[in-house]
Amino acid sequence: MTDTPAESAKPSFRSDVTVELVKHSAADSDVLWAARVSTAGEQSLEELEKDPERSKGLINFLMRDRHGSPFEHNSMTFFISAPIFVFREFMRHRVGWSYNEESGRYRELQPVFYVPGEARKLVQQGRPGKYEFVEGTQAQQELTGRVMENAYRDAYEAYQEMLAAGVAREVARSVLPVGLFSSMYATCNARSLMHFLGLRTQHEQAKVPSFPQREIEMVGEQMEAHWARLMPLTHAAFNANGRIAP
């Protein structure tokens, strides 16, 4: 038997995602001392006290010629709130990433659900690999919002009914859709984040085009903004060299 669920909260709907930088050890100087140890040995520690701006050419060289390991000696931990379907795409990124997500086995999941905002393009044209998304009509927007909200309400009502009857949370959660919001900590280094951004964001400076789902791109854009403040020289070199991870 599970605990009796609390009085049922009313479902709420949102179209945004949030990304908070909760912990980091990341600076452009991390790239420099990691790179210079190969030729300077213990003297590479001097980079910790120097202005990395003076060595931005080295950072650009490493990025351009794809010497990737110096970009791994840093860490960023993000707290992300997004629909479950976004996290399912996240899990495809495994090298250089660590994840811990809230569990529907151990807590009662809250009724917060994703509904696309008006700016979200709804209509897919073409075929996979060569398709594009275009604006939906007002009628499609209204239909999407109404159908999704009704489905979410029905699913959460079924979830609450099973919990009230003593069904285990890990069983009852099966009726909940992937549009339910979840939260997780995601930890990565600059190299793994660059690989993520190269695939999950569209950018005018990218040499290789990417076609991400908009919702995971929204997460990527916020993560990139945090990273750009921490490592501006590395971020600039990433852009200047076609947004291809080294």
Side-chain angles (χ1 to χ4, degrees):
M1 296 287 286
T2 62
D3 296 334
T4 301
E7 183 178 348
S8 179
K10 292 183 179 180
S12 61
F13 310 102
R14 52 186 288 196
S15 60
D16 66 320
V17 299
T18 58
V19 177
E20 179 182 357
L21 179 68
V22 297
K23 182 180 179 182
H24 69 86
S25 174
D28 289 315
S29 58
D30 298 331
V31 179
L32 298 173
W33 54 253
R36 287 211 160 99
V37 72
S38 61
T39 57
E42 67 279 1
Q43 293 179 353
S44 61
L45 291 171
E46 295 175 4
E47 293 295 337
L48 292 171
E49 307 299 328
K50 293 181 180 179
D51 180 4
E53 180 73 26
R54 56 183 282 279
S55 297
K56 64 182 180 181
L58 175 57
I59 292 176
N60 188 71
F61 162 76
L62 295 169
M63 190 78 68
R64 185 195 68 205
D65 286 12
R66 306 193 72 185
H67 297 288
S69 59
F71 297 99
E72 297 177 0
H73 295 272
N74 55 82
S75 178
M76 294 164 280
T77 297
F78 302 95
F79 183 73
I80 303 168
S81 179
I84 289 175
F85 67 80
V86 170
F87 292 162
R88 298 295 79 79
E89 289 198 324
F90 245 107
M91 302 309 173
R92 297 175 184 271
H93 299 270
R94 297 180 294 277
V95 178
W97 287 88
S98 297
Y99 304 109
N100 281 94
E101 185 182 352
E102 69 176 279
S103 174
R105 296 184 66 194
Y106 304 122
R107 65 169 303 191
E108 182 179 337
L109 299 173
Q110 298 304 300
V112 181
F113 299 95
Y114 177 75
V115 175
E118 292 184 1
R120 209 308 186 180
K121 296 178 180 179
L122 293 179
V123 179
Q124 177 181 323
Q125 296 179 340
R127 59 185 177 83
K130 289 190 177 181
Y131 58 73
E132 62 176 355
F133 283 88
V134 298
E135 303 290 342
T137 65
Q138 184 65 33
Q140 288 171 322
Q141 288 280 356
E142 293 174 355
L143 173 68
T144 299
R146 174 174 54 81
V147 170
M148 292 179 76
E149 290 182 14
N150 287 340
Y152 290 149
R153 288 189 181 98
D154 289 344
Y156 199 75
E157 182 179 347
Y159 174 67
Q160 287 289 307
E161 182 179 1
M162 284 190 282
L163 293 182
V167 176
R169 286 183 289 266
E170 64 183 53
V171 176
R173 65 177 174 170
S174 300
V175 301
L176 295 173
V178 293
L180 181 76
F181 267 74
S182 186
S183 60
M184 74 169 180
Y185 290 105
T187 299
C188 64
N189 59 55
R191 189 183 191 185
S192 54
L193 180 58
M194 285 187 278
H195 181 263
F196 176 92
L197 295 174
L199 292 171
R200 300 299 182 178
T201 61
Q202 292 182 314
H203 197 280
E204 61 183 7
Q205 291 179 270
K207 288 183 179 179
V208 180
S210 182
F211 305 94
Q213 183 162 340
R214 177 55 188 152
E215 288 76 14
I216 196 169
E217 184 179 35
M218 290 160 60
V219 172
E221 289 169 349
Q222 293 187 44
M223 295 172 72
E224 181 170 1
H226 286 297
W227 171 55
R229 287 190 290 270
L230 296 174
M231 303 179 71
L233 301 179
T234 304
H235 180 255
F238 175 59
N239 283 332
N241 289 278
R243 294 175 67 86
I244 297 173

